[in-house]
Amino acid sequence: MSPAQQDPLDHPARDARLLALVRDAFLPPLGDAFAASVARYDDVLFDRAERAGGSQLLFLDGMRELRRRREEIVARFRAQLGRAWQALESGESPSAEAALASQSTGLSLVAEHELESRLAVRNLASVMLRDCKAVLSRLDRRLGWIAGALQLDADRNPIGPEHIGVAVHEAFATCDLAPEVRLVLIKLCERDLSPAVAKLYEGLDQRLVREGVLPGAPAGPRQAPPPRPERMAESAAAAAAGGYAGSYGGGWEEPAGGGEDYSPAWAARFMQRWQDTRGAMQHGLDGGAGGAAAPGGAGALLDALHQLLQQSRGARGDAAQGAGGAPGGQADQRPLSHREMLSVLSLLQATPSPTLSAAITDDQESLSQRLKSEVLANARQLGVDPSSTRLDPKDEDAIDLVGMLFDVLLDERDLAGRPRELIGRLVVPFVKVALLDRRMFVQKTHPARRLLNALAEACEGNQGESAAERSLLAKVEEIIERLVTEFNENLAIFMTLEEEFRDFLEQHRRRVEVTERRAAEIQRGQERLEMARRRAEFEVASRLEERALPQAVAEFLRNPWQHHITLALLREGEVGDTFTEALELADGILEEVDEAQRHIVGKPWLQNWQPGLRRVFASVGLHGDAADAAIGALHDTLQAVADARPELEKPLPELPEVALPQAAPVERNPVELVAGTDTLDFDHADAERIRALPIGTWLDFIDKDGRVQPGKLTWVSPISSRLLFVNRRGVRFCVASPEELAVMVRMGRLRMHVADDGDAFDNAMQGVIERLDAVAPQQSATLH
């Protein structure tokens, strides 16, 4: 047996002394830090109560509950971490996700406040993981090695952030707290524990290095965590006051700054192809730096775009038309000044022309061509003769880029009806941004770009089918209306609106995530129900098969007993005492039936099974005298069989109507699947790739009419291996096996989602480059 295959407890790398060292160096100090934090939270809740308005009593009640159960809360926190650590010492790698899911039992759904709590501790874990990513990567390897060469990761490291989050959830689980109070406490734990945990990780990592554990992965200085939101807001405000003040000198010159902020994904691909095919670029992107722009990269990128746009217009033969004059007549035309351009665009922004609005809804018309025509036509309102003016080439570049960007965005995203109209209203403001600050095209964190990404995310696939979606669309409309009304030439408005809308969008995402979790809980419960039903049907059939049973006994097994064992399987599983006792009860009654059919007389029928019978009848709602009557009917029936007097057999009394929970309703217009995987025609390699998809993967489902709907993989059944996909609202959309999905791949009705990074601007710019290259493949091959 190779070392990798050895039992971790017998692996030569396992070191009980070092495991004890890690345990003592981490668990007690963390427990002490948690206890010290919780001791302060009653005062925090009291302060919150003073500012809580209508929720004041909730926070005061929470303060009293926290004081009353403080010791229990700390003990539960320590105990949960202790259980995870004991699993590691036993040679296992405990899963935090499984530990969190196991805290809900039975058939009942997880309450919404419970889902919110779980999301909050997952967020706590993600914050700690983000802040300590480097040191945790080293600790996973070192701790896994001394535990017996186990493979530890974020989910399975018992001292990792995920398990700390589970411990925080478990600590407050039994407290009688209002949902908003519970979330405040978890957020406080995130704030207070993160610095202490980071310090413990660093000290532990250095201690293990000194002990000689995997010196090939040396401890290093902790990387500075990303800036907190409040620090980012301060930086954004400074940028708004400086770089985004709306100066006129934007041009195509190199933007100030640089670094990673000037390396959008589309730019890396574009510049690499440009350099490969032209050979004349002197500056570009440093391929060895993972796509980050080299010095001068942003300026070179803008210059390359300028030349490609000129060549594209030449290839279409519309340079003169785009400039507003006849061929050969541009010598007598002056370019519109920068001020005139902005004035005309402000007029269009305030009062969109009907023809421009029509172009937005018409996917066959070019927005850039329509925009250029509208600008020249509306110049007349400023007293400018359109026949004597043309567009400056650099202004024309800005209009072309923005127009094509919105063409791609509207065509390739799931934007129809009202969402398409709302996004289309942004075209003119974004042309103004392009004229004021060309950095928008190359700066990933540009506020205009961030706002467009957020609005596109909110609109995509949103037809207002739910209250949450309608609320989101109303907020989008409010933000766009404010932008159109308030945007003059100060780009700070984009930052203000983006921050406000991001907060709203984050709340919507949390609601969607709660819906996703609920969909998974429903599907999990449904599959457990299906499995329990099948097992119960098997147990009944195996006892009724080829047996002539009295009607009352057969009815007892088919109705109350089958219902009883189904519930027992749901609640406790096959190893539970209730299920085992129910099987013994049925077999015991059948033995008495056999004795009665042999006409044994004088036997006190069912005397030994009275308690079990009462439990079965109670499960269907028969208690007291009603249960006595049912048991009496079974007794009299057995006596009649023993006396060979079938006319004396008694039926069971009418039983209450009981029903197990039914299947969850399927989302309207579900994906049609082909059943019977043993006869399906599919590629086994496709099925294996689908089986290996990570949670969170988006796929495109294509119906028979060619309509595309994205679905997100939310859960994989441990029972049936079926995959659960939800739509953008978090509602169950498709449940299918890997084989059924592989059939859809072969039929061309399933593919990887093409825009899964959430950056609508970057994806649209990639589409713009592809369209430009398609228009002018020959002209773009040479640069001078």
Side-chain angles (χ1 to χ4, degrees), residues 727-747:
N727 60 18
R728 294 189 183 279
R729 304 193 307 278
V731 177
R732 186 172 76 163
F733 169 64
C734 172
V735 181
S737 68
E739 293 78 13
E740 289 170 321
L741 294 171
V743 172
M744 296 182 66
V745 172
R746 171 156 289 190
M747 296 169 62

Side-chain angles (χ1 to χ4, degrees), residues 413-545:
R413 295 265 164 170
D414 183 12
L415 298 167
R418 184 59 178 157
R420 184 183 181 95
E421 295 174 6
L422 289 171
I423 295 297
R425 292 186 65 189
L426 297 170
V427 174
V428 174
F430 269 76
V431 174
K432 287 176 66 176
V433 176
L435 293 177
L436 293 166
D437 188 1
R438 291 343 196 272
R439 290 177 296 182
M440 175 181 70
F441 295 108
V442 294
Q443 187 180 36
K444 294 188 296 184
T445 57
H446 194 282
R449 176 179 177 145
R450 288 166 59 90
L451 179 62
L452 180 59
N453 285 337
L455 294 172
E457 178 185 341
C459 287
E460 187 168 9
N462 186 348
Q463 293 302 314
E465 296 178 8
S466 67
E469 283 189 317
R470 290 190 290 274
S471 174
L472 188 60
L473 277 180
K475 188 64 176 179
V476 169
E477 186 165 8
E478 175 195 332
I479 293 293
I480 292 176
E481 186 63 36
R482 285 175 56 188
L483 178 66
V484 170
T485 303
E486 300 175 23
F487 175 42
N488 40 48
E489 290 156 20
N490 189 341
L491 299 184
I493 183 65
F494 284 88
M495 187 168 300
T496 301
L497 295 178
E498 191 270 336
E499 289 177 353
E500 177 183 331
F501 187 69
R502 280 285 173 186
D503 289 341
F504 188 90
L505 186 59
E506 186 60 33
Q507 296 175 16
H508 177 77
R509 286 175 182 152
R510 287 174 62 83
R511 288 193 291 268
V512 169
E513 193 167 353
V514 169
T515 305
E516 287 181 15
R517 296 286 178 184
R518 185 171 294 284
E521 294 289 346
I522 290 173
Q523 188 63 30
R524 180 186 290 109
Q526 185 61 32
E527 293 211 355
R528 292 181 61 231
L529 174 59
E530 291 174 1
M531 184 175 67
R533 275 179 163 159
R534 287 196 299 268
R535 177 62 187 276
E537 290 169 357
F538 168 78
E539 295 294 344
V540 171
S542 66
R543 286 164 174 78
L544 296 179
E545 188 176 8

Side-chain angles (χ1 to χ4, degrees), residues 27 34 94 96 102 112 128 135 251 267-268 363 407 415 436 480 579 591 624 639 709-710 725:
L27 296 187
F34 179 76
S102 68
E112 186 158 336
M128 290 185 182
V135 67
D363 56 8
D407 275 335
L415 298 167
L436 293 166
I480 292 176
F579 178 68
E591 287 179 6
Q639 187 62 54
Q709 180 166 350
F725 292 86

Side-chain angles (χ1 to χ4, degrees), residues 706-728:
R707 291 189 295 267
V708 178
Q709 180 166 350
K712 178 184 177 183
L713 176 59
T714 298
W715 179 73
V716 178
S717 169
I719 298 172
S720 65
S721 298
R722 289 189 293 179
L723 291 80
L724 167 66
F725 292 86
V726 297
N727 60 18
R728 294 189 183 279

Side-chain angles (χ1 to χ4, degrees), residues 94 136 139-140 143 152-163:
L136 274 170
L139 276 177
D140 286 343
L143 183 56
L152 299 184
D153 54 23
D155 181 54
R156 297 186 178 276
N157 184 340
I159 61 172
E162 295 287 350
H163 278 281

Side-chain angles (χ1 to χ4, degrees), residues 1 17 19 50 52 121 142 183 207 240 249 313 319 349 377 400 412 441 484 489 546 564 669 680 689 767:
M1 181 181 293
R17 180 186 68 84
L19 283 174
E50 293 182 333
V121 297
R142 292 192 171 105
L183 294 180
R207 183 78 175 270
R313 287 194 290 270
Q349 177 179 302
D400 274 339
E412 298 186 359
F441 295 108
V484 170
E489 290 156 20
E546 298 180 358
H564 180 70
N669 296 327
L680 294 182
R689 281 191 288 270

Side-chain angles (χ1 to χ4, degrees), residues 239-302:
Y244 302 137
S247 61
Y248 293 111
W252 287 92
E253 71 277 4
E254 171 114 24
E260 293 185 357
D261 200 27
Y262 293 92
S263 56
W266 68 266
R269 294 188 291 268
F270 166 59
M271 290 297 285
Q272 186 61 56
R273 186 167 70 250
W274 183 275
Q275 288 176 301
D276 290 345
T277 58
R278 283 77 174 175
M281 293 295 295
Q282 300 300 316
H283 302 285
L285 302 183
D286 182 5
L301 171 62
L302 293 172

